[in-house]
Structures are given as structure tokens and as C-alpha cells.
Amino acid sequence: MLKIYNTLNNQKEEFQPIDANQVGIYVCGMTVYDLCHMGHARVMVMFDVITRHLRRNFPNVKYVRNITDIDDKIITRAIENNEDIYTLTNRFIDAMHEDEKSLGVLSPDIEPRATDSIDKMIDMIENLSKKGLAYQGKNGDVFYSVRNFKEYGKLSGKNLDDLMAGARVDIESNKKDPLDFVLWKKAKSDEPKWPSPWGDGRPGWHIECSAMSNHFISNHFDIHGGGMDLTFPHHENEIAQSEGANSCKFVNTWMHVGFVNVDDEKMSKSLKNFFTIRDVLKNYDGETLRYFLISSHYRSPLNYSKTNIDGAQSALKRLYNAINGLNNKVDDLTLIDTNFEERFNSALNDDFNTPMALSILFEIAKQINIERTNNPNKASALSIQLVELGNYLGILEYDADEYLKQGSELSESDISKKIEQREEARSSKDFAMSDQIRDELFELGIILEDSVNGTTWRRK
RNA sequence: GGCUGGGUAGCAAAGCGGUUAUGCAGGGGCCUGCAAAGCCUUUUAGACCGGUUCGACUCCGGUCCCAGCCUCCA
């Protein structure tokens, strides 16, 4: 039985889909004006793990993740670069897809772009106007009237008067209430624009997710997620829009992924303390990054540091070392210990507890290492299981030997030649020579390992 | 000020009212020509103060501290 922590009531609760044959999940995706950083990576990877698990447990899952391809930052950046917004956003959408691939993230079922759904947004704003929840300000912008939606604040646990008392409410004379937010923005002359009943303009940020989730999934669906910083105001506003327009419950379960921190501070573009996925991929392989991202629970903060990613790399290598050299072909499946799989599944069923799930992988690895000499069939069976469960999380996707050798600057044949030379030295008991060759290779990042089956090598 | 989370061993990170988390790192041993990998073993815990309980890291209350949101942000 799957339990998920729901931001709506700050509790773990049993997940019961509206329709067990068709689970709907919508995740707020990227605003594509720059490269994705590690914070984005965490959201992509976590919801990838979440949807993989949902797909294992329900016959059909519709996973929608939007692309915000129109907003102020995009317009500003396009002007800076002297290019049109589509040239800019297409470039960063491609980059995002490449990054996802590196991280082993499977594509969502639908990735709608905001600019393809402008008509849906206009319909929704019109609907809100009819219901007295939207009005046009003096400057021509259309605003949502927050005071007219009585449940405003239910997701984030805020109430309007506390927000009013806060110091950081912006003063916008065109609004009836400072907390009202923009649904439709009137275009300035040189900006991208679409026709609407309120004049040429573009949508506000929040309306796209309401319109697209309602259109591509339903007015009422199972799971809506995103980064924790979206809880307020973005998701709060989505609720106001969708429930205001449709007069029915919008989302059953709200999920929010914690931040990637740098020196215990949130990684963000405004703080300029961010590392792009590409930056990090220069020094680590994608699977190491993925391991790092799932090594803490999704709601906890995750500190980005070299030490922590190095730790992830060592840990992942331990798993690959365990499966390395086993034939992965075993007829006797009764040798597989189903207890591991049960515990693995119940870890994920407990609000997607990936650290717990990973710890079971290490238990299997240990068992493989214990059995591999005296009971190779059992070890092979366990290694099949380890790979299978690892794949479930999107790791251990590579051939162990290839993975452990990757990134070597020396060619396979050069290394083999050195190993042969060393073998000759060893057989004539010239251990000084033998050790010298091993040390030379070590300096070049190659580790040699002698076993009864001969000498093998891997990357440091 | 309001609202969320959280404070676990050298580092990272979980579960759990009583019994080894797990990974990395460190010590000792086994294996090895020596290593590496691996196995065995071992050292470091639960911010603080009360309460409940036969027993609390785990439940309850309080104190202190940290992060996040309340402005665009994943």
C-alpha cells in the first residue's frame, strides 16, 4: 500500500487514485531561458523515480510535465541575445532533454508548451471573469481576485491577513488587493503577444499550469508536484484558478521536492550559487549524479558538495563491483531471496523512501560478495536481483565492467600489454618490476586487481 | 511577525518505544608475493530541559538553533 506525504494536510496518507486504471500526475517543469541546474535535476530525477514506481503499481499512468516557454525572463533574455523567443526556448528545451538523458530520466508522457495552450488559458480566464473571480485593472492587465476565493491559502497554510501583515507584499496600484495576481498581461509594443478579449497580451505564469493540467489530465486528478518553492504562491494560485473556474476539487495529493543546497543555503539563480547539470557532468557520470540525488529522501534538503558526490560515486562503485564478473544467467530463480524485494518495495511505498531502498541494495551486494566464491549460482541470482532493483531506481543501467572502466585515458590494448608484461615479471618473481608497472598504471588512474582468474583492471 | 520543515555518530543518511540501518572515512584481523576488491571485527550518535513509560533517538510539552516560504525561483 502506497503512502504519500500530502502538502495539503502535511501528513502521510494512503494513496487512492481517483481511477485505479488511469493515474494522473502533473509536475511543474522548467522555464526554459537557461541551462538546468542541480535543483532542477533533483525534481526531474525524483519525479522520474515516483512515476516509475507508480507505473509498476498501476496499469496506466499519465505523466504530464509542462514547459514554460513564455514569461518575462524569456523575453528579457531573448532581447539580450537579439533572437526571437522560440529560437531561445527551443535551444534550452533541447539542452534540457540532453541533461535528462544523462541522468537516466524517462520522458513524461506529455510535455505541453505554454505557448501551444494559450486558447485554453483564455477560456479559463473568461470563465473566472464570469464567476467574479477576475477583473481587468486600469493598466489593462487581468487579475485574479484573491479575496473572492474563500479557500485561498489552504495549501500553504497561510491566511490572507497574515500575508497582508508581512513586509514583502508588493504595492501594485492597478490591483484591487495587493495579493491579487496576474492572469493576463497586456503586451507592450515590442513584446510577443496573442489576441484576447482583453487586448493583445500574454498569460500570467500561474494560469498555464491550471489550464494545461485540466486539459491534458482532468479538472480533478491525483498528484501534482514540483519544487518546494512552488508551494506558495504558484500552487496556491493554481488551486484558486482551477477550483474557482471548475467548482470542483483540483488535486488530491500535492508533492513537493526539497531544495538542493550549497553551504546549507538554497541553490538558486538569484543567489548565483548554482551548478548546472553540465558543470557537474564534467567531473562525474550521470548515474553518479542520479545516485547522489536519490541518496536522501525527496522532502529533505540535499547539500551539494564535492565530498557528498564523491561519496555517492564510491557507493555506486561498490554496487557495480559486486555485480562485476558474474554471468547474470541463472536458471534457478528460487535462489533469489524475495525478502529483499519485498523490503525494497515497501521502502518505496513509504513515501518513496529511496535511502531505505538503496540500503537494501547494499545488503544484496554484501550477500553477493559473501556467496561469490563458494556459491556462484546464488551470487549470480542475487546479482540479477540487484540489477533489477537498481534499474527500478534508474541505476545499475550499465554493464559493470564497462562502467568501472569508463573514462580511462589509456586504450584497452595498452593496458592489456602492461598487464602481460606484469604477468611475466610476476611469474619470474620479479615483484619489484611487477609493482612498478602497477604503480605506473595507478598514476594513470588504473587500478589492477589480481585474482585466481587472472588480473583485471578498472578506473580509479 | 505569520506559515512549513528540520536538528542522529568524523561525513552523508534512514527506520524504529526495548534487538546491527546503510554508504563513505578511521582502527584491528583474514585473504594476497605485496596490493586492490572482498569478508570478519571495531571506535565515534540522537541540540537542550522536563513529562509519559518497566523502558524513548523514537511519543507529549517547553527552550535554543538552522533552513525554506510569505518577491521571480525547481
Side-chain angles (χ1 to χ4, degrees):
Chain A
M1 179 224 298
L2 175 61
K3 285 189 169 177
I4 304 180
Y5 184 93
N6 190 351
T7 310
L8 210 46
N9 55 17
N10 297 319
Q11 276 176 353
K12 251 191 249 182
E13 54 187 26
E14 192 178 329
F15 176 67
Q16 288 186 309
I18 298 162
D19 174 1
N21 289 313
Q22 178 73 54
V23 174
I25 174 167
Y26 183 94
V27 172
C28 290
M30 261 50 79
T31 302
V32 282
Y33 70 100
D34 208 341
L35 293 170
C36 292
H37 63 229
M38 289 296 287
H40 301 119
R42 188 175 193 196
V43 171
M44 298 195 279
V45 167
M46 273 322 306
F47 280 104
D48 184 50
V49 170
I50 288 162
T51 50
R52 282 172 192 241
H53 189 61
L54 290 172
R55 287 184 207 284
R56 292 268 192 137
N57 288 283
F58 298 98
N60 292 296
V61 174
K62 191 189 250 187
Y63 173 25
V64 179
R65 192 187 60 202
N66 71 298
I67 293 172
T68 301
D69 64 348
I70 177 67
D71 101 315
D72 289 1
K73 282 177 180 162
I74 290 172
I75 294 170
T76 309
R77 185 64 62 90
I79 291 168
E80 279 169 20
N81 293 355
N82 195 24
E83 61 187 340
D84 73 274
I85 60 165
Y86 292 107
T87 311
L88 176 85
T89 56
N90 283 335
R91 189 166 68 248
F92 286 112
I93 289 169
D94 290 346
M96 174 178 81
H97 287 147
E98 281 172 26
D99 290 343
E100 280 187 284
K101 211 175 163 191
S102 308
L103 294 168
V105 171
L106 305 173
S107 300
D109 298 297
I110 308 174
E111 274 189 289
R113 296 172 63 144
T115 54
D116 291 333
S117 292
I118 304 282
D119 54 332
K120 314 284 185 319
M121 300 181 215
I122 290 171
D123 287 350
M124 187 172 246
I125 298 169
E126 280 193 299
N127 195 353
L128 288 168
S129 298
K130 275 183 215 147
K131 296 196 170 177
L133 292 165
Y135 62 92
Q136 191 160 23
K138 278 172 277 178
N139 63 350
D141 290 357
V142 181
F143 297 100
Y144 189 101
S145 188
V146 159
R147 292 274 170 192
N148 291 352
F149 182 69
K150 60 182 186 305
E151 291 188 294
Y152 193 81
K154 68 177 175 181
L155 177 67
S156 52
K158 297 180 192 304
N159 76 63
L160 286 167
D161 297 319
D162 289 340
L163 287 167
M164 290 293 283
R168 292 155 90 183
V169 177
D170 91 85
I171 306 301
E172 163 68 76
S173 59
N174 295 300
K175 297 178 183 177
K176 288 182 184 167
D177 187 296
L179 293 164
D180 291 347
F181 58 90
V182 183
L183 294 165
W184 187 262
K185 242 181 162 165
K186 197 174 177 178
K188 295 183 189 116
S189 58
D190 56 343
E191 288 176 347
K193 53 181 181 279
W194 289 262
S196 85
W198 316 280
D200 288 355
R202 65 177 185 275
W205 174 39
H206 311 292
I207 193 71
E208 65 173 87
C209 290
S210 286
M212 292 193 288
S213 62
N214 291 173
H215 177 255
F216 289 103
I217 305 178
S218 171
N219 289 352
H220 177 209
F221 59 94
D222 299 297
I223 300 172
H224 190 130
M228 245 168 211
D229 44 2
L230 299 184
T231 310
F232 189 91
H234 183 56
H235 289 159
E236 199 69 71
N237 292 351
E238 278 189 55
I239 292 174
Q241 290 165 342
S242 286
E243 299 196 353
N246 303 326
S247 304
C248 71
K249 190 172 189 186
F250 176 36
V251 169
N252 283 358
T253 306
W254 286 90
M255 296 184 70
H256 293 98
V257 175
F259 300 127
V260 175
N261 291 163
V262 178
D263 298 327
D264 293 315
E265 269 194 326
K266 176 185 173 184
M267 180 182 290
S268 76
K269 296 213 168 149
S270 43
L271 286 170
K272 295 193 171 141
N273 62 348
F274 63 92
F275 293 82
T276 67
I277 296 170
R278 275 149 202 241
D279 286 337
V280 188
L281 283 172
K282 284 175 193 158
N283 298 311
Y284 301 93
D285 65 283
E287 207 168 272
T288 291
L289 253 54
R290 187 178 175 100
Y291 180 97
F292 167 68
L293 292 168
I294 63 174
S295 67
S296 79
H297 184 76
Y298 77 90
R299 285 187 285 111
S300 306
L302 175 61
N303 218 32
Y304 173 90
S305 72
K306 185 176 185 313
T307 314
N308 291 350
I309 303 182
D310 284 344
Q313 190 168 51
S314 306
L316 186 56
K317 277 184 181 168
R318 176 169 163 84
L319 296 178
Y320 270 113
N321 270 326
I323 58 176
N324 196 18
L326 292 169
N327 63 18
N328 292 337
K329 286 196 189 89
V330 163
D331 299 329
D332 189 1
L333 293 174
T334 61
L335 293 169
I336 289 178
D337 188 344
T338 54
N339 187 38
F340 286 128
E341 186 168 352
E342 280 164 24
R343 289 166 56 217
F344 179 90
N345 283 328
S346 53
L348 291 179
N349 276 334
D350 184 11
D351 196 28
F352 309 99
N353 192 336
T354 49
M356 184 75 223
L358 288 172
S359 79
I360 290 153
L361 263 38
F362 287 99
E363 287 185 37
I364 300 172
K366 180 170 216 155
Q367 211 50 45
I368 291 170
N369 290 331
I370 290 170
E371 303 282 7
R372 72 187 302 147
T373 312
N374 296 324
N375 198 348
N377 276 342
K378 172 104 191 224
S380 290
L382 285 167
S383 82
I384 290 167
Q385 184 179 32
L386 177 52
V387 169
E388 192 180 299
L389 297 182
N391 290 172
Y392 199 135
L393 296 171
I395 60 169
L396 304 181
E397 298 275 0
Y398 299 94
D399 174 77
D401 189 55
E402 279 174 34
Y403 182 85
L404 293 167
K405 285 177 174 170
Q406 72 176 337
S408 166
E409 287 141 36
L410 293 175
S411 73
E412 183 98 27
S413 67
D414 286 345
I415 295 168
S416 304
K417 221 174 282 174
K418 288 281 182 192
I419 289 175
E420 265 174 51
Q421 285 172 19
R422 181 165 167 274
E423 272 315 302
E424 283 171 30
R426 288 183 79 208
S427 55
S428 58
K429 307 259 186 221
D430 184 356
F431 294 122
M433 173 58 83
S434 150
D435 290 351
Q436 191 193 320
I437 294 170
R438 187 171 60 197
D439 291 346
E440 281 168 12
L441 286 173
F442 187 82
E443 287 308 307
L444 295 165
I446 305 297
I447 293 171
L448 296 188
E449 296 184 348
D450 302 325
S451 78
V452 285
N453 301 320
T455 300
T456 55
W457 68 274
R458 63 191 166 84
R459 188 100 205 295
K460 212 193 295 183

